[in-house]
């Protein structure tokens, strides 16, 4: 009897059944992409491609994809330009179509995240191949994951896209941490940050929690290692600017020129949350405080990272 009970317990915690809390995973936009994109091989002009985008691709896209268009995250012209990278797209096709095979791993870590945050509801996830203007984000429909940014591997063909874009493409093992990052965003709607430190913590907390849940740093290895090497310099610059009341785009943009790599705010926000967590006696309470980020000034002070 005891063995049967233990077997049932193992299945409930480690098996492939995730109950009513499991999010729906949608791969329809990926299939729609390839169906429409490959029709453009017969096109001899941009106007032909644009017609397919406007009359077949977009109308058959998911509600999440349409929300991103409505929010002007990208537009049909950005899609048209992206579709011109034929060598790059050919190199990710097989992987993108096999992405659904990762369903169990994705659901496992989503469930782990929900358990961390007291059984919080999980949001549906929409996978898509959109444009260079959209990676991971949230909409009212759920989580949007532009997989073109998380497809790095040895045979990836980047000769058309240039070094700047190529260095922003993450390896495949960063896909799930990014999903968790976006789920953290979806759980708690922060007020618009007024100060630089608030904006950095708004992103760094999601990166830190994704790491705690998956064991993977969200940032690419070379980006993370770069900031680790110059961490004292990053801290010094941040200490001068953290309380400024302005946009933190120069800290959060992946294209920022503040340092040799952009998005330093994600790194410093991660480090503040990590220091706060390590100094907290009640770890579970600390994780909840990091997720909700109700008082970023207090978390910054308690981290003792700058003071």
């Amino acid at each position: 009897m005891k063995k049967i009970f233990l077997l049932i317990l193992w299945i409930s915690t480690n098996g492939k059944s995730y109950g009513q809390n499991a999010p729906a995973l949608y791969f329809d936009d990926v299939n729609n992409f390839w169906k429409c994109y490959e029709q453009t091989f017969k096109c001899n002009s941009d106007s032909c491609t644009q017609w397919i985008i406007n009359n077949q691709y977009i109308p058959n896209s998911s509600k999440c994809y349409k929300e991103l268009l409505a929010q002007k995250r990208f537009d049909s012209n950005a899609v048209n330009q992206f579709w011109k990278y034929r060598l790059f797209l050919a190199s990710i096709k097989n992987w993108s179509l096999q992405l659904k095979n990762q369903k169990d791993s994705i659901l496992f870590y989503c469930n782990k995240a929900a358990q961390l945050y007291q059984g919080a509801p999980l949001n549906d996830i929409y996978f898509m191949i959109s444009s260079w203007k959209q990676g991971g984000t949230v909409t009212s429909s759920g989580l949007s994951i532009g997989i073109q940014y998380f497809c790095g591997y040895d045979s990836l063909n980047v000769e058309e896209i240039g070094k700047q874009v190529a260095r922003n493409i993450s390896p495949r093992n960063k896909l799930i941490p990014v999903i968790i990052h976006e789920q953290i965003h979806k759980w708690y709607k922060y007020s618009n940050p007024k100060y630089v430190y608030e904006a950095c913590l708004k992103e760094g907390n999601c990166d830190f929690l994704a790491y705690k849940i998956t064991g993977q740093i969200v940032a690419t290895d070379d980006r993370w290692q770069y900031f680790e090497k110059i961490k004292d310099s990053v801290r010094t610059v941040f200490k001068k600017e953290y309380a400024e009341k302005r946009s933190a785009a120069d800290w959060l943009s992946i294209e920022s020129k503040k340092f040799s790599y952009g998005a330093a705010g994600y790194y410093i926000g991660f480090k503040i949350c990590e220091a706060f967590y390590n100094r907290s006696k009640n770890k579970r309470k600390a994780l909840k405080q990091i997720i909700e980020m109700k008082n970023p000034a207090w978390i910054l002070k308690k981290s003792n990272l700058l003071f």
Side-chain angles (χ1 to χ4, degrees):
M1 189 70 181
K2 184 177 179 181
K3 289 183 178 179
I4 294 174
F5 172 77
L6 291 174
L7 177 60
I8 293 172
L9 180 63
W10 184 90
I11 291 173
S12 66
T13 56
N14 298 289
K16 296 181 180 180
S17 176
Y18 298 95
Q20 296 179 350
N21 197 31
L25 307 185
Y26 294 103
F27 302 94
D28 297 348
D29 282 318
V30 175
N31 296 329
N32 182 45
F33 171 86
W34 291 113
K35 179 181 178 181
C36 295
Y37 167 72
E38 289 173 357
Q39 291 182 36
T40 68
F41 293 172
K42 299 178 182 178
C43 288
N44 295 315
S45 65
D46 269 2
S47 60
C48 172
T49 299
Q50 198 72 56
W51 187 93
I52 292 172
I53 292 171
N54 292 333
N55 294 280
Q56 295 184 22
Y57 179 59
I58 291 177
N60 290 309
S61 63
S62 68
K63 61 180 179 180
C64 182
Y65 193 101
K66 291 185 176 76
E67 282 184 53
L68 293 169
L69 289 170
Q71 293 171 7
K72 301 186 184 302
R73 298 297 182 102
F74 55 93
D75 56 24
S76 63
N77 289 325
V79 173
N80 192 341
Q81 292 299 314
F82 180 70
W83 285 18
K84 294 179 180 180
Y85 298 114
R86 296 201 182 277
L87 296 177
F88 169 78
L89 291 171
S91 71
I92 72 169
K93 180 179 180 181
N94 289 338
W95 170 77
S96 69
L97 292 173
Q98 294 171 10
L99 187 60
K100 62 186 69 173
N101 296 335
Q102 295 190 44
K103 180 178 179 180
D104 288 331
S105 293
I106 293 168
L107 291 176
F108 172 81
Y109 284 106
C110 286
N111 187 55
K112 190 174 178 181
Q115 291 175 354
L116 178 74
Y117 194 34
Q118 302 173 338
L122 293 165
N123 295 96
D124 295 342
I125 306 170
Y126 293 80
F127 298 93
M128 57 188 66
I129 305 172
S130 52
S131 75
W132 292 130
K133 295 183 178 294
Q134 183 266 331
T137 191
V138 298
T139 71
S140 60
S141 298
L143 316 182
S144 164
I145 308 296
I147 64 174
Q148 68 279 352
Y149 272 117
F150 312 104
C151 60
Y153 60 108
D154 291 343
S155 58
L156 186 69
N157 193 318
V158 297
E159 62 182 84
E160 299 165 311
I161 65 179
K163 292 182 179 179
Q164 184 61 40
V165 175
R167 77 190 302 200
N168 293 333
I169 295 175
S170 298
R172 297 176 185 179
N173 64 351
K174 304 296 184 178
L175 179 66
I176 293 178
V178 166
I179 292 171
I180 302 303
H181 174 108
E182 299 304 335
Q183 180 60 75
I184 303 299
H185 273 314
K186 190 67 173 173
W187 275 336
Y188 198 82
K189 295 181 179 179
Y190 313 93
S191 58
N192 291 328
K194 296 180 180 179
Y195 301 96
V196 169
Y197 73 89
E198 291 178 332
C200 293
L201 278 169
K202 178 182 174 181
E203 296 295 344
N205 73 327
C206 296
D207 271 10
F208 174 70
L209 290 159
Y211 169 71
K212 294 297 291 183
I213 292 164
T214 68
Q216 288 279 347
I217 297 292
V218 175
T220 59
D221 293 344
D222 54 348
R223 186 183 303 275
W224 184 261
Q225 290 165 9
Y226 166 76
F227 285 126
E228 284 283 83
K229 289 180 180 177
I230 65 162
K231 60 185 177 183
D232 291 338
S233 176
V234 174
R235 191 179 303 176
T236 298
V237 177
F238 185 75
K239 190 171 183 178
K240 293 178 181 178
E241 301 180 8
Y242 79 96
E244 292 182 6
K245 195 174 183 179
R246 62 172 177 83
S247 166
D250 57 335
W251 281 93
L252 298 179
S253 172
I254 204 167
E255 298 175 353
S256 171
K257 305 298 183 184
K258 182 177 286 290
F259 300 97
S260 294
Y261 275 91
Y266 288 73
Y267 173 81
I268 194 68
F270 178 108
K271 287 296 183 180
I272 292 168
C273 291
E274 181 182 51
F276 170 78
Y277 176 82
N278 289 339
R279 290 171 61 85
S280 299
K281 293 182 179 180
N282 187 330
K283 302 300 185 187
R284 177 167 287 277
K285 182 179 179 181
L287 289 173
K288 185 174 185 292
Q289 291 168 327
I290 291 170
I291 290 172
E292 296 178 348
M293 199 56 65
K294 290 182 177 179
N295 193 342
W298 180 76
I299 287 178
L300 174 61
K301 182 178 180 180
K302 289 294 182 180
S303 73
N304 203 34
L305 196 69
L306 301 183
F307 311 103

